[in-house]
Amino acid sequence: MKRTIPEIKAWLQAVDTLSPEELQELLTDDRVGVRKLAESYQREQARKQKERERVAKMWQYEQECWSKGLTLVAGVDEAGRGPLAGPVVAAAVILPPTFDATGLNDSKQLSEEMRTVLKQRIEQEALAVGVGIVDAAHIDKYNILQATYHAMRIALSQLTPTPQAILADAVKIPDVDIPQQGIIKGDSLSHSIAAASIIAKTTRDEWMKQAAQTYPAYGFDQHMGYGTPEHLEALRRYGPTPLHRRSFAPVREVIENSGVQGTLFAEGSIR
């Protein structure tokens, strides 16, 4: 007796893989519902295979280092170069070869929920994690690129054990003696860099959410300091906070138009 469509659906959800013969039998079943289930199964298997291939490929730079005996490879990335307010945050992460990289990707490609899940996995299983946070005052004094390098050096200095090689997202970090490689779009090509991007992004987002409690009118917990229309309107209305980067054009223009160099608001007025 043929299995019912609900029985076949439950079977497909429970089984890891079908044999070619089993799949062909479903694809040629005289019931449309069964054929649709088989086609859906095929699509899901193809998706899983593509993800396995992506995950495997993202170890290629680490494997090149490991093959040379460089077993401690640190991925480095940053979050927050573009915002008008808040710090730039860098992270450095050393992953073990046994790390479960399922789902690991450039932090910008992931939901907040997935970033949180991966952050916990990285913190639990990484050999070392370092974070560098550099504030707006430093950014204004030295420029955002130099501040980013400084944050990266801080993050690297926190790693124990010390890395033997560095994979960085698109940059070569000055004043670092460890061999390093800058990889364009590295957060989507290297698991170590992707892990660093997730730590940097989640750390900075949490920092901005805390800042929103002090400056609630600015919506820092929504736009994380980026120049959204809502943020620009609040900036024009209340002026810059101590967290704003005065060297960035939209903030500088508000200051120049007002004729005031410091913070323009009375703190109580924005609550």
Side-chain angles (χ1 to χ4, degrees):
M1 190 173 85
K2 282 186 176 182
R3 282 177 290 193
T4 65
I5 290 177
E7 287 173 340
I8 293 172
K9 183 176 182 180
W11 173 51
L12 290 176
Q13 290 172 343
V15 72
D16 289 331
T17 56
L18 296 180
S19 68
E21 294 76 18
E22 289 172 326
L23 179 58
Q24 185 60 28
E25 183 180 348
L26 295 178
L27 288 170
T28 57
D29 194 284
D30 57 7
R31 292 166 292 180
V32 173
V34 173
R35 296 198 299 273
K36 286 185 176 180
L37 285 174
E39 291 165 359
S40 177
Y41 170 85
Q42 275 187 311
R43 289 192 296 271
E44 179 60 14
Q45 290 299 105
R47 185 197 66 79
K48 288 180 178 179
Q49 179 59 28
K50 186 176 180 180
E51 174 64 6
R52 285 192 292 268
E53 291 171 357
R54 184 192 70 82
V55 169
K57 188 175 181 180
M58 282 183 67
W59 283 121
Q60 63 177 327
Y61 291 100
E62 286 85 351
Q63 287 171 343
E64 289 174 7
C65 293
W66 297 336
S67 69
K68 299 173 184 176
L70 305 174
T71 57
L72 300 173
V73 181
V76 180
D77 201 4
E78 54 73 29
R81 285 181 66 170
L84 306 181
V88 61
V89 176
V93 177
I94 302 176
L95 296 176
T98 55
F99 182 79
D100 177 9
T102 304
L104 198 58
N105 204 344
D106 170 11
S107 63
K108 297 183 291 296
Q109 304 299 319
L110 303 171
S111 67
E112 182 176 1
E113 181 181 9
M114 191 60 183
R115 285 196 297 267
T116 300
V117 170
L118 289 167
K119 173 180 182 287
Q120 293 172 347
R121 191 193 308 167
I122 293 163
E123 291 178 338
Q124 290 171 0
E125 300 180 23
L127 299 178
V129 175
V131 174
I133 301 176
V134 174
D135 65 16
H138 190 104
I139 293 169
D140 288 338
K141 184 175 181 179
Y142 294 101
N143 77 47
I144 184 59
L145 180 59
Q146 296 306 316
T148 300
Y149 289 149
H150 185 49
M152 289 177 169
R153 288 190 289 267
I154 293 172
L156 285 166
S157 72
Q158 294 178 357
L159 295 179
T160 302
T162 301
Q164 298 166 309
I166 296 169
L167 303 176
D169 185 28
V171 299
K172 185 172 182 180
I173 310 162
D175 303 318
V176 173
D177 293 332
I178 302 166
Q180 58 179 298
Q181 181 177 2
I183 303 169
I184 303 298
K185 297 184 178 179
D187 46 10
S188 62
L189 296 174
S190 158
H191 285 307
S192 300
I193 298 176
S197 78
I198 289 167
I199 296 296
K201 171 67 174 169
T202 54
T203 299
R204 188 179 188 279
D205 283 357
E206 184 57 35
W207 198 101
M208 295 305 297
K209 290 175 183 178
Q210 293 293 323
Q213 297 180 25
T214 303
Y215 305 103
Y218 289 82
F220 289 144
D221 56 334
Q222 300 299 313
H223 51 65
M224 305 303 168
Y226 284 88
T228 64
E230 294 78 11
H231 185 190
L232 293 172
E233 175 57 30
L235 185 59
R236 286 188 290 266
R237 182 174 181 183
Y238 301 116
T241 72
L243 308 184
H244 280 92
R245 303 172 181 180
R246 284 155 171 73
S247 57
F248 280 41
V251 183
R252 186 172 64 246
E253 289 169 5
V254 167
I255 294 172
E256 291 172 350
N257 291 337
S258 69
V260 177
Q261 294 302 306
T263 300
L264 302 183
F265 60 82
E267 193 166 313
S269 69
I270 64 167
R271 294 186 178 277

